[in-house]
Amino acid sequence: MKKGSLKTKRVISLVLAAVITAGSLAGCGEKNESETKSATAKDAKYVTTYGDKKFNNVTIKVELFDRSNAPEGNTLTDNKWVKYVNEEMSKVGINVEFIGVPRADEVTKMQTMMSSGTAPDIVTTYTYAYAEDYWNQGGIWDLTEFIEGEDQAKNLKAYLGQDVIDVAKTADNHLYGIVAKRPTLAASNLFIRQDWLDKLGLEVPETPDELFEVLSRFVNDNPDQRKDVVGASFWTLFNPSNSVCYRNTLSAAFTKLGGSEKERHIATGIEYYYDEGIRDYFRFINKCYNTGLMDKEYYTETKDSLTSDIVNGALGFCEYDISYNVRVTNNLVKTLKENNQDADFVSIPSLKNVNDGKQYSATYSPGGLIAFCPKTADAETVEACMTYLDWLCTKEGGYTIINGFENEHYSLDSNGLPVVIDSEYNAKDKDWICGDLFILGNSAYASTSDEFHEMTASKNVGYENYVLNNYKNSLSGELLIPDSYSAPSASERKTDLDLVCSEWLVKCITCTPEEFDGMYDTFMKECENAGIEKIVEERTDYFNKIYSDSQS
């Protein structure tokens, strides 16, 4: 077995080592003092509850995802909401400077900034493996002594809860980051043209076989009798040639691990290799491709072209994120109906598994993105960073950033929940940025998932039922909740494995049915050459211990 390329990790390690050696990591030596005990109310060195300390004009740099969607008259770093953040933080002597990072390129940009020592004081990513790897290299702060004292970060701990906080703890209880709380575990949905089902007298498909028959009818019977559409009827989650497509709700209909939580946890992130059922999932995609249910050049599909296909009535089924069909900022159903008033594009429940007949829905883990502090920040800056995160968890912080101002953006219903006044106004005024500003809430500030679902639906006036049905369908059946554990060798192998997936999944999908098994066998062998067996070994050892301990 050959090891994956270590070039990227070695470069990062060398630069981090140089930064540490140069002595620019103020506070580095303080970590040893906290390794054997947590900070308490009595001996805490840092004050991180918003309002309990006035800083002396400390500037913190915070990463902010740039989606290139700023309305006219605004920029990512100069707008009403950035000013609001700084007005509130100036009350405790903190200035917040936001550093824009392209959302689509955040991992590469993070690696570049970390390796060059130019990263902001708060770095965010959805890839926990990289954050943990930086911790293992000694490049980021242990946040334990800033958070765990009784009087420290009170708002943050109350909002996130201990279970979410513990996601970013190492096996020996060091806190290397602050994880956002997901207000819902709902991840994706299966969407279908309901009006096409009605025209053809078809029921909503409940199994993969029924889905195949429905798609075949869509393509061959051409419900709208259009001459400009040549049967590109099926589109899977994102692009089925990339490395994330194997963990979605459609693939859950093929898993062979549904009955074992432990096995599912071992498989998290490497399902395509560990779960034998995923071979059958890709066999199904291959069948759809070879029978003309997918565009022959599907691998060139982009989000923009997918959107175009949907609103122009050229696509009958796809899987995408929860409310992709009726987002406030880009309502596809509304535009589709403007083009064809009888058309409708709705979510449906997850399909029954081919092995045990149960419904499974793939979900997010309870934690969202993770925020961490590079050692290039000194101790006082980290203290200010944690105070900022604590403020985000207050009503003046995250609640206001997400919902806006009462009587301008929302009113309160009889249950005290915010109800949007004008969704179009909110979309232009705040929705384009506020979800990314509130980095600890994954686009929401809510106490429960049901509350979040109701609040989200209320923001989409006229399409509330679509939103509520989307959440219901996305969470149908048994939930396959992934574990957040990162195998020690995962980050150094991720790039090579992603490349293997991108190359070989296209080959597995586009080959003839007779070639499929041989092609998939080669795909598995290439994964082994890239070092996936080491990840399997580490994940297996870890979860064997976890489940052994839980039974003792």
Side-chain angles (χ1 to χ4, degrees):
M1 175 178 68
K2 294 190 297 184
K3 288 186 177 180
S5 171
L6 301 179
K7 182 178 180 181
T8 300
K9 181 176 179 181
R10 284 173 179 159
V11 170
I12 294 171
S13 298
L14 287 171
V15 176
L16 282 173
V19 175
I20 294 170
T21 302
S24 63
L25 307 183
C28 181
E30 295 171 338
K31 176 182 166 184
N32 292 330
E33 298 176 21
S34 65
E35 285 185 343
T36 59
K37 64 177 181 178
S38 298
T40 66
K42 190 176 184 179
D43 63 12
K45 291 184 288 184
Y46 306 108
V47 179
T48 53
T49 296
Y50 178 79
D52 283 359
K53 175 179 177 177
K54 183 71 179 283
F55 290 80
N56 186 20
N57 197 30
V58 173
T59 295
I60 63 172
K61 296 181 179 181
V62 180
E63 180 178 345
L64 178 61
F65 287 152
D66 185 354
R67 301 179 190 271
S68 300
N69 61 345
E72 186 176 353
N74 295 272
T75 69
L76 182 71
T77 57
D78 185 9
N79 57 74
K80 171 180 181 176
W81 297 98
V82 165
K83 291 175 182 176
Y84 173 73
V85 168
N86 274 288
E87 286 171 3
E88 292 297 303
M89 295 310 297
S90 67
K91 296 175 181 177
V92 293
I94 297 174
N95 307 310
V96 184
E97 178 183 342
F98 290 101
I99 307 299
V101 172
R103 174 65 182 96
D105 196 35
E106 58 102 352
V107 169
T108 302
K109 183 67 174 176
M110 173 187 65
Q111 292 172 322
T112 300
M113 293 188 300
M114 287 294 293
S115 64
S116 63
T118 60
D121 305 313
I122 296 180
V123 178
T124 59
T125 183
Y126 282 95
T127 312
Y128 294 10
Y130 287 126
E132 191 168 3
D133 195 40
Y134 292 133
W135 162 262
N136 291 333
Q137 296 173 40
I140 64 178
W141 276 87
D142 182 351
L143 301 177
T144 307
E145 57 188 337
F146 296 89
I147 298 296
E148 292 203 341
E150 182 178 339
D151 291 328
Q152 292 177 311
K154 287 182 178 180
N155 299 301
L156 182 149
K157 288 186 287 195
Y159 179 77
L160 295 182
Q162 196 62 46
D163 287 345
V164 174
I165 291 173
D166 286 349
V167 169
K169 279 190 175 179
T170 63
D172 52 354
N173 284 319
H174 292 295
L175 185 66
Y176 64 90
I178 305 297
V179 169
K181 181 177 76 172
R182 289 192 185 276
T184 181
L185 298 183
S188 67
N189 260 317
L190 309 179
F191 296 99
I192 201 164
R193 280 288 295 270
Q194 180 64 54
D195 58 310
W196 287 4
L197 290 173
D198 295 340
K199 283 184 178 181
L200 297 174
L202 301 172
E203 299 294 327
V204 171
E206 296 183 353
T207 68
D209 284 344
E210 290 179 7
L211 174 63
F212 181 82
E213 292 303 316
V214 164
L215 296 178
S216 297
R217 291 286 303 278
F218 280 2
V219 170
N220 297 322
D221 292 0
N222 192 2
D224 287 339
Q225 298 302 304
R226 290 175 54 166
K227 296 181 180 179
D228 60 329
V229 177
V230 192
S233 170
F234 174 44
W235 210 79
T236 57
L237 179 64
F238 304 126
N239 184 323
S241 66
N242 75 21
S243 62
V244 298
C245 67
Y246 47 77
R247 194 173 209 294
N248 54 24
T249 288
L250 185 56
S251 71
F254 296 86
T255 180
K256 291 186 177 181
L257 306 180
S260 173
E261 182 183 67
K262 173 186 169 183
E263 289 296 300
R264 295 201 308 265
H265 282 167
I266 293 173
T268 297
I270 52 171
E271 289 88 353
Y272 57 94
Y273 182 83
Y274 192 85
D275 184 349
E276 294 180 0
I278 302 305
R279 177 188 289 254
D280 293 328
Y281 164 64
F282 281 108
R283 192 191 307 278
F284 176 81
I285 303 295
N286 174 273
K287 178 183 177 182
C288 291
Y289 180 86
N290 279 288
T291 51
L293 307 187
M294 296 169 59
D295 192 308
K296 288 299 181 182
E297 295 184 354
Y298 77 88
Y299 41 82
T300 65
E301 190 82 81
T302 65
K303 182 178 177 180
D304 287 342
S305 61
L306 170 65
T307 298
S308 177
D309 285 346
I310 292 172
V311 300
N312 290 320
L315 189 133
F317 175 87
C318 73
E319 178 170 0
Y320 217 86
D321 61 44
I322 312 106
S323 283
Y324 181 63
N325 60 336
V326 289
R327 282 186 186 141
V328 174
T329 53
N330 187 20
N331 193 318
L332 303 186
V333 169
K334 180 181 178 181
T335 306
L336 174 64
K337 285 181 174 293
E338 289 171 353
N339 295 327
N340 178 354
Q341 63 179 0
D342 297 324
D344 206 5
F345 197 59
V346 303
S347 63
I348 63 174
S350 56
L351 304 179
K352 294 177 181 178
N353 184 273
V354 298
N355 300 299
D356 61 18
K358 296 181 179 179
Q359 278 183 310
Y360 296 106
S361 291
T363 74
Y364 287 122
S365 65
L369 60 71
I370 184 171
F372 60 88
C373 295
K375 281 289 189 66
T376 42
D378 61 29
E380 185 183 31
T381 300
V382 177
E383 183 180 20
C385 286
M386 294 304 103
T387 303
Y388 170 65
L389 295 184
D390 185 76
W391 172 78
L392 281 179
C393 295
T394 67
K395 186 167 184 178
E396 293 73 23
Y399 181 93
T400 299
I401 288 173
I402 291 297
N403 296 303
F405 301 114
E406 189 174 1
N407 298 324
E408 178 184 355
H409 300 96
Y410 70 90
S411 58
L412 296 176
D413 65 13
S414 58
N415 296 315
L417 297 178
V419 178
V420 170
I421 296 173
D422 184 341
S423 57
E424 291 187 5
Y425 172 75
N426 286 5
K428 294 178 181 178
D429 186 70
K430 72 177 187 62
D431 292 347
W432 65 276
I433 189 174
C434 288
D436 289 323
L437 279 175
F438 184 35
I439 57 177
L440 294 186
N442 273 77
S443 301
Y445 188 105
S447 301
T448 66
S449 58
D450 286 342
E451 178 181 296
F452 169 70
H453 297 163
E454 292 285 347
M455 289 168 56
T456 304
S458 75
K459 296 177 182 178
N460 206 327
V461 179
Y463 296 87
E464 294 92 340
N465 287 336
Y466 280 90
V467 176
L468 292 175
N469 284 331
N470 286 345
Y471 282 110
K472 178 181 178 181
N473 289 328
S474 183
L475 298 171
S476 58
E478 185 175 337
L479 305 184
L480 304 182
I481 302 173
D483 189 87
S484 59
Y485 168 72
S486 295
S489 64
S491 61
E492 68 184 56
R493 290 166 168 78
K494 185 180 186 302
T495 299
D496 288 348
L497 285 170
D498 283 354
L499 290 173
V500 169
C501 288
S502 294
E503 175 183 358
W504 284 93
L505 290 180
V506 172
K507 293 179 179 178
C508 290
I509 290 170
T510 60
C511 68
T512 66
E514 294 75 22
E515 295 174 317
F516 177 81
D517 278 315
M519 198 70 72
Y520 208 86
D521 288 341
T522 305
F523 171 39
M524 295 294 96
K525 184 63 178 176
E526 290 299 316
C527 290
E528 291 168 4
N529 291 340
I532 200 169
E533 289 176 310
K534 181 62 175 176
I535 297 176
V536 172
E537 177 186 335
E538 291 170 346
R539 295 191 67 84
T540 300
D541 289 346
Y542 177 82
F543 286 106
N544 279 343
K545 183 178 186 304
I546 292 295
Y547 280 85
S548 174
D549 290 346
S550 67
Q551 294 171 2
S552 60

